[in-house]
């Protein structure tokens, strides 16, 4: 039986609303279109994100509404919020000193993994996505997603764990090109972010789902506007043909696949090492 054509369940685990749009939206739309069940789980409501709305409960409610709109655009069957508080970022990056009680970064990994594992078990999940060990660009909640997601998969016995990441090499090329049109774009934070190409095992072609991915990004309006230049806002201004080129591939690392694997589908069976 073809493991790709057989209907399965994939759970995509993210830290905040809008993370799914940036990292995995094309893959989610592709799997949903193929008839797989796609479940979106977030650890927090993102209530400490930057936005025109003041941080707090109102922003969290706004961002969750945006998340549901994004999920609908991608064909998700279910959305789950684990209910932790957004840890926020310190002014210079890293863990904020003024983070709220119940912040995700302060959660006990075993307890948080148990919450996620309950979803995986209920859904009989075949696949879980987390983040790379550095949490992409280093947000503490993203690092915690890596820790919690890996442990939850162990508890639930979820067979496939993919670390959602970005191939740093074309990312930097794309950002340098974008900076020609938007010279205020600061790309320094991306120079050590995510993963180099030689460790990536999955390169998933999602150009056919660029419309859904763009709609997912656009759903997160609170994160695309504001006085400061926002990365999401800049991405949405990229001309559509160039957008399809830049965002036409999504990348993952499967740690139990042989180094150098060149897999094209999340459910593709890796070669034997």
């Amino acid at each position: 039986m073809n493991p790709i054509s057989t209907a399965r369940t994939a759970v995509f685990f993210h830290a905040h609303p809008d993370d799914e749009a940036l990292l995995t939206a094309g893959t989610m739309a592709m799997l949903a279109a193929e008839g797989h069940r796609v479940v979106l789980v977030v650890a927090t409501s993102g209530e400490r994100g930057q936005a025109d709305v003041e941080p707090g409960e109102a922003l969290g409610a706004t961002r969750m509404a945006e998340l549901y709109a994004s999920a609908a655009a991608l064909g998700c069957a279910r959305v789950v919020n684990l209910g932790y508080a957004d840890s926020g970022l310190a002014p210079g990056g890293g863990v904020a000193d003024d983070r709220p009680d119940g912040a995700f970064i302060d959660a006990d990994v075993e307890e948080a993994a148990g919450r996620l594992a309950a979803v995986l078990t209920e859904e009989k999940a075949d696949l879980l996505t987390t983040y790379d060990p550095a949490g992409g660009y280093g947000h503490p909640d993203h690092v915690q997603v890596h820790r919690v997601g890996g442990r939850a998969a162990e508890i639930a016995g979820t067979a496939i764990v993919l670390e959602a990441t970005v191939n740093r090499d074309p990312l930097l090329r794309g950002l340098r090109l974008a900076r020609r049109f938007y010279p205020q774009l600061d790309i320094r934070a991306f120079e050590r972010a995510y993963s180099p190409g030689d460790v990536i095992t999955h390169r998933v072609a999602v150009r056919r789902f660029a419309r859904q991915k763009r709609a997912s990004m656009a759903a997160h309006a609170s994160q695309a506007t504001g006085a400061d230049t926002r990365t999401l806002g800049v991405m949405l201004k990229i001309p559509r043909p160039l957008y399809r080129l830049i965002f036409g591939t999504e990348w993952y690392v499967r740690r139990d696949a042989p180094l150098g694997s060149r897999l094209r589908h999340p459910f593709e069976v890796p070669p034997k090492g």
Side-chain angles (χ1 to χ4, degrees), residues 128-164:
L128 172 69
T129 71
T130 65
Y131 298 150
D132 57 46
Y137 63 92
H139 192 298
D141 282 342
H142 290 220
V143 175
Q144 188 76 322
V145 162
H146 172 77
R147 297 173 185 145
V148 169
R151 179 60 184 135
E154 291 176 353
I155 295 170
T158 304
I160 303 172
V161 179
L162 302 183
E163 296 175 4

Side-chain angles (χ1 to χ4, degrees), residues 220-253:
H220 296 283
S222 70
Q223 301 303 294
T225 59
D228 298 327
T229 299
R230 306 299 306 281
T231 300
L232 195 58
V234 170
M235 290 175 174
L236 287 168
K237 292 178 181 178
I238 295 172
R240 290 180 186 271
L242 184 57
Y243 180 96
R244 290 180 73 248
L245 178 64
I246 293 174
F247 298 106
T249 303
E250 291 176 348
W251 296 272
Y252 301 89
V253 177

Side-chain angles (χ1 to χ4, degrees), residues 54-71:
E54 286 296 315
E57 185 176 343
L59 177 57
T62 295
R63 295 193 68 184
M64 284 303 299
E66 292 172 346
L67 183 71
Y68 277 99
S70 167

Side-chain angles (χ1 to χ4, degrees), residues 23 132-134 136-137 164-176 187-200 203 249-253:
L23 285 171
D132 57 46
Y137 63 92
T165 187
V166 172
N167 188 333
R168 185 191 303 155
D169 309 330
L171 170 66
L172 288 174
R173 288 195 297 269
L175 288 173
R176 287 170 184 139
I187 69 171
R188 289 174 296 176
F190 295 96
E191 291 175 348
R192 294 178 301 278
Y194 301 107
S195 305
D198 58 0
V199 305
I200 291 172
R203 294 158 177 81
T249 303
E250 291 176 348
W251 296 272
Y252 301 89
V253 177

